[in-house]
Amino acid sequence: MRFGHIAGDRMLDLVNTVGWRLGGRDRTEHLATFSDVVDWCLESDLISEEEAAALRDLAGRDDARAERERQQVVEARERAYATLFEDDPEAAAGLAGMYRAAIEAADLVRTGDRWQWRDRETDLRLPRDRIVRGLVALTQRDDLDRLHQCEDVKCGWVYLDTSPRRNRRWCNTKDCGDRNRARAYYARQKAKGPRP
């Protein structure tokens, strides 16, 4: 898989499609093309293989519109982050506006024993609409008190802390955890000074 799936919710995994979110100039966008958006949606089971092929074909015929859709996905992601982690009412209002547009493009239908949104057509806005509906559903989870952000100074990845004591500090113990433990160890050694 190309993208990190460590957050406990696929929409939080979308928020993590930014490398070094808090790293200033080191910040890296992982949804750099519309094809990246399609890849993420496919990995996250938001679209089918057939829909992915159709979207790639449509994007190949209208690069400019595909890029605008990519930018809208990034905007929705950033609004969700600002809503959940910065308590930004303007971001929440913007996300709500995107949600209203997303549900206007779909019908609420019964599938088996549950109700779900069914998009009326497969066009370039399909990933954005499904993502926006997912992001709004994320904001309504009952366990948002478990939301946490990696304590690495640059990382900024987010996740649901499902540890029994709610003491998870790092997005990934093998990456940010090891790096920060090593940093703390070297700082302690330096503070002790040179050995006689």
Side-chain angles (χ1 to χ4, degrees):
M1 290 198 174
R2 285 187 52 205
F3 299 95
H5 299 276
I6 57 93
D9 183 287
R10 65 184 172 185
M11 290 301 132
L12 287 174
D13 289 328
L14 175 76
V15 173
N16 292 341
T17 55
V18 176
W20 304 118
R21 175 177 283 283
L22 308 176
R25 292 188 326 206
D26 292 334
R27 182 179 164 123
T28 306
E29 176 60 64
H30 297 304
L31 299 180
T33 66
F34 184 77
S35 183
D36 293 334
V37 172
V38 172
D39 288 347
W40 182 86
C41 288
L42 198 53
E43 275 188 24
S44 302
D45 294 325
L46 221 55
I47 62 173
S48 67
E49 292 278 357
E50 296 77 25
E51 288 169 327
L55 288 165
R56 290 185 206 287
D57 182 55
L58 289 168
R61 288 188 256 150
D62 193 345
D63 290 339
R65 180 151 181 245
E67 172 56 17
R68 286 193 301 275
E69 286 299 326
R70 182 200 72 83
Q71 290 172 4
Q72 289 284 302
V73 166
V74 169
E75 184 176 336
R77 178 193 70 196
E78 294 307 302
R79 285 178 173 172
Y81 175 81
T83 299
L84 293 169
F85 289 91
E86 298 170 353
D87 274 341
D88 184 335
E90 285 184 36
L95 187 59
M98 294 178 94
Y99 180 73
R100 285 189 287 277
I103 61 174
E104 290 224 354
D107 298 308
L108 191 59
V109 297
R110 187 173 183 96
T111 306
D113 60 350
R114 62 187 210 132
W115 290 86
Q116 64 184 32
W117 293 107
R118 178 181 298 153
D119 296 283
R120 291 190 196 104
E121 60 181 294
T122 300
D123 67 1
L124 290 172
R125 69 178 284 170
L126 180 76
R128 171 176 43 115
D129 288 345
R130 289 189 183 167
I131 284 169
V132 166
R133 291 192 299 260
L135 289 170
V136 170
L138 169 65
T139 67
Q140 298 170 341
R141 285 182 63 128
D142 291 333
D143 57 355
L144 291 184
D145 61 324
R146 291 186 173 269
L147 271 180
H148 193 74
Q149 190 161 26
C150 182
E151 293 179 20
D152 182 272
V153 70
K154 286 187 175 184
C155 177
W157 273 19
V158 299
Y159 53 88
L160 289 169
D161 183 357
T162 56
S163 64
R165 292 185 292 172
R166 296 187 186 196
N167 62 349
R168 180 176 164 191
R169 297 183 63 198
W170 319 112
C171 62
N172 184 323
T173 58
K174 298 288 184 201
D175 188 5
C176 286
D178 284 351
R179 185 174 51 258
N180 280 278
R181 281 188 290 273
R183 204 177 282 148
Y185 171 80
Y186 289 119
R188 285 192 306 272
Q189 296 305 310
K190 188 175 181 181
K192 287 181 184 177
R195 291 186 177 186

